[in-house]
Amino acid sequence: MMASPDGNAPAFYEAAFERARPQIERIRAQIPHFPAPALRVQRVGQLDADLLDQELTDLLAEPLKAALQKVHPVLEKQRHAELYLLLRLILYKFSIYDRSASYGAMLQNLKYRNEWVHRAHSTHAVTSTARDAPLSMVQLGLYPLLTIVLPYLYGKGKTYMSTHQFDQAPRESPQFVAYSLADHAQRLWNLAALMNFALFLWNGKYRTVTDRVLGMRLTYANRSLQRNVSFEFLNRQLVWNTFTEFLLFLLPLVKPRRILYRMARWPSHPVVLRALHDTLPERLSRRLGLVKDKEDGVVRLASRARKRTYGKYWFLPNECCALCFERLERAAGVDVDHVPVPPPDATLPNPNPLHPNSGLVATRQKRDQSEADRTSERALERARRLEARRAARKAATVSWSADHAPKLDGTSPNGIKYMDAILVTPYQTLPCAQNGRTCQYCYYCIAEKLLDENMGDDLQAGGGWACLRCGDYVYGAERVIVEST
């Protein structure tokens, strides 16, 4: 009997407490035997663990494939199944066999436990306790057999039956029966996997059919950790995806080629060149090629002061369009300074085995002859290149004149007729026409060249587009006016 705080009379609740004491003691004694709450493991974590295991297997298989290709080109294709079998067995040994969890499950804070033990002792409240029963040797031995070895044997058998056309055999033959049984077994397995996946989505216990048959359930390895799904990788992927889409939208508007071109031209800006010329010693500025014009006082680079005295197609007839001729050469796949060497004459093999051109002697003779032909071809190629350089140097010293142009009905050294590049609606370029030259192009060709979006950069850099005839920098064009007589 409990006394009141003042020590005179018992407390008002003391009678009720005395009546409920036996029931409270009985409930307190039954607390250890209460059933534990059901263990719930996130389904997305279990599925992600399987995907991570597959990615790890593929990642480790890539260097092995590359190494096998170095040994033999077709060895990797021939032993593809055996390579994955060996790799998965090794991963199983160092993951599930040693630690009761695959590498993907470790990343998701999961591990396997023996659900058979927990199911048998469910009355003793070990269903969701922190102590998980380890996997038995039966489970550890059957798991690789059902998940690794049997799929490998089924795949090899299916390949063998397809190669030997078991499906085309008579219906009563053992070959067709074996093929039909394998096909039906595959369908039943797919149906079982579908039903198991539906049950997995409902209660989240067993991810695969093998896990359900062997009683291997994925649970949390450390239940004190946070179980929320990490969206860090997804957020990073979304950010980079949005950033790349923004760049794809922005690059056509800002014209990066023009920006890079101007950044490359910045060291040659007149203000920068003037500052370098005034700051550096005279000997160093001369070595850098900084030249100060005596007339206008502008500092320029010595390389920019040089001017071309001839164009690429200075030799064309006046009635030809150099841009059309360049287009014809590009379509024909030829070069001005290079004439392709014709291949040596090939002889057909003789079917007579007693002929002198057959057998090992003929093979050795052909090999020696091919070596001699290659040596002569290289010598001829060097001679032609040397001749092309001499012709280019000689053309550089010749001033442009109409007397050097060939006839319109002729053919170029590359086999292109000059008549195919005849002018259509001729336009003369500026300042070529002002300097007394007759550089003419088709209206379509010169308009496409001058109206190009990159023409503004060429105008700022060198004053225009380099003419293919005289080498001057073209900034405009006007129609050729023919005076009527």
Side-chain angles (χ1 to χ4, degrees):
M1 182 71 64
M2 297 179 60
S4 62
D6 54 3
N8 297 327
F12 68 92
Y13 57 83
E14 187 160 338
F17 176 77
E18 292 296 334
R19 289 193 303 268
R21 183 188 294 272
Q23 187 177 0
I24 293 174
E25 296 295 336
R26 187 170 58 254
I27 294 175
R28 185 176 296 173
Q30 292 177 357
I31 286 178
H33 302 282
F34 283 171
L39 178 62
R40 299 185 181 275
V41 182
Q42 287 186 341
R43 299 163 181 81
V44 64
Q46 302 181 54
L47 296 178
D48 288 343
D50 186 36
L51 294 177
L52 290 173
D53 291 334
Q54 295 178 11
E55 291 293 334
L56 177 62
T57 305
D58 296 335
L59 185 64
L60 294 177
E62 289 300 326
L64 294 179
K65 292 179 182 179
L68 291 179
Q69 287 180 356
K70 299 293 184 181
V71 177
H72 198 277
V74 297
L75 184 60
E76 181 268 330
K77 295 182 180 179
Q78 293 178 350
R79 302 302 178 188
H80 181 271
E82 288 76 7
L83 174 64
Y84 273 87
L85 173 66
L86 179 61
L87 188 60
R88 286 167 179 163
L89 288 176
I90 294 175
L91 289 176
Y92 170 78
K93 168 61 177 65
F94 291 103
S95 59
I96 298 179
Y97 188 85
D98 292 343
R99 304 183 181 182
S100 299
S102 63
Y103 289 103
M106 295 178 195
L107 294 175
Q108 297 293 329
N109 188 30
L110 299 174
K111 69 174 183 179
Y112 280 110
R113 78 175 185 182
N114 191 350
E115 194 68 13
W116 289 343
V117 176
H118 288 264
R119 192 183 305 167
H121 299 81
S122 59
T123 57
H124 293 81
V126 296
T127 303
S128 61
T129 57
R131 295 186 60 183
D132 294 326
L135 299 177
S136 63
M137 295 304 298
V138 176
Q139 292 171 325
L140 293 176
L142 292 179
Y143 186 84
L145 180 64
L146 296 177
T147 59
I148 302 175
V149 179
L150 282 183
Y152 165 75
L153 296 177
Y154 177 81
K156 297 297 288 186
K158 198 73 174 180
T159 304
Y160 179 82
M161 289 186 290
S162 299
T163 305
H164 293 77
Q165 298 181 354
F166 278 24
D167 56 336
Q168 303 296 333
R171 301 183 66 88
E172 295 80 8
S173 61
Q175 292 83 357
F176 187 82
V177 173
Y179 182 84
S180 301
L181 289 177
D183 193 14
H184 289 299
Q186 179 67 27
R187 294 181 182 180
L188 291 176
W189 179 262
N190 294 336
L191 180 60
L194 178 61
M195 296 177 60
N196 178 81
F197 188 73
L199 291 175
F200 170 75
L201 295 179
W202 178 55
N203 55 22
K205 284 188 176 181
Y206 300 101
R207 184 183 57 186
T208 61
V209 179
T210 306
D211 295 348
R212 184 176 297 275
V213 171
L214 297 180
M216 298 171 57
R217 183 182 178 184
L218 284 172
T219 59
Y220 291 110
N222 188 356
R223 299 179 187 179
S224 62
L225 294 180
Q226 188 177 5
R227 302 178 185 178
N228 295 333
V229 180
S230 177
F231 292 101
E232 181 181 358
F233 177 76
L234 179 60
N235 294 334
R236 190 182 309 167
Q237 199 76 3
L238 290 175
V239 169
W240 278 109
N241 186 29
T242 306
F243 182 70
T244 52
E245 288 182 356
F246 175 73
L247 288 181
L248 292 176
F249 167 76
L250 187 64
L251 287 180
L253 300 179
V254 299
K255 298 186 181 301
R257 182 181 181 274
R258 181 173 297 180
I259 295 177
L260 295 176
Y261 186 78
R262 291 184 179 180
M263 291 176 61
R265 286 184 58 250
W266 183 81
S268 62
H269 195 273
V271 179
V272 179
L273 295 179
R274 182 61 180 267
L276 292 176
H277 183 270
D278 297 341
T279 305
L280 298 177
E282 182 180 359
R283 181 178 300 178
L284 182 58
S285 63
R286 200 183 313 117
R287 291 290 300 272
L288 294 175
L290 301 177
V291 179
K292 186 175 183 180
D293 197 343
K294 297 181 179 179
E295 297 181 359
D296 53 5
V298 178
V299 179
R300 296 185 179 89
L301 291 174
S303 59
R304 293 293 180 88
R306 301 190 187 99
K307 199 171 185 179
R308 299 181 63 179
T309 58
Y310 72 100
K312 182 180 179 181
Y313 298 105
W314 62 272
F315 58 88
L316 289 179
N318 295 335
E319 297 83 359
C320 290
C321 174
L323 289 173
C324 293
F325 192 81
E326 184 182 30
R327 192 180 304 112
L328 291 174
E329 281 192 338
R330 192 181 300 112
V334 297
D335 193 5
V336 177
D337 299 330
H338 174 66
V339 179
V341 180
D345 297 335
T347 58
L348 295 176
N350 196 299
N352 187 6
L354 300 179
H355 195 271
N357 290 336
S358 302
L360 297 177
V361 178
T363 304
R364 189 180 298 109
Q365 291 177 355
K366 291 179 181 178
R367 185 170 61 250
D368 297 341
Q369 183 65 26
S370 62
E371 290 290 341
D373 292 342
R374 283 195 292 269
T375 304
S376 61
E377 287 178 9
R378 287 194 292 266
L380 183 59
E381 181 68 21
R382 286 195 296 269
R384 293 197 177 190
R385 289 181 181 177
L386 182 60
E387 187 65 26
R389 295 194 194 97
R390 291 176 180 175
R393 287 195 296 268
K394 182 178 179 181
T397 58
V398 179
S399 60
W400 191 93
S401 175
D403 298 335
H404 297 89
K407 300 299 181 180
L408 183 61
D409 57 351
T411 305
S412 68
N414 294 319
I416 299 176
K417 297 180 180 180
Y418 297 120
M419 287 292 294
D420 295 339
I422 196 169
L423 287 168
V424 178
T425 313
Y427 268 65
Q428 56 186 359
T429 54
L430 300 175
C432 306
Q434 299 173 357
N435 296 333
R437 300 188 180 94
T438 58
C439 302
Q440 299 179 6
Y441 297 87
C442 298
Y443 167 73
Y444 176 80
C445 299
I446 193 63
E448 183 183 15
K449 182 64 68 174
L450 295 180
L451 296 178
D452 188 75
E453 61 177 1
N454 298 322
M455 189 61 188
D457 299 335
D458 296 336
L459 285 171
Q460 295 179 7
W465 165 70
C467 179
L468 296 178
R469 284 184 172 272
C470 63
D472 283 344
Y473 290 103
V474 176
Y475 59 83
E478 60 182 7
R479 184 161 185 176
V480 178
I481 300 176
V482 180
E483 297 181 359
S484 58
T485 56

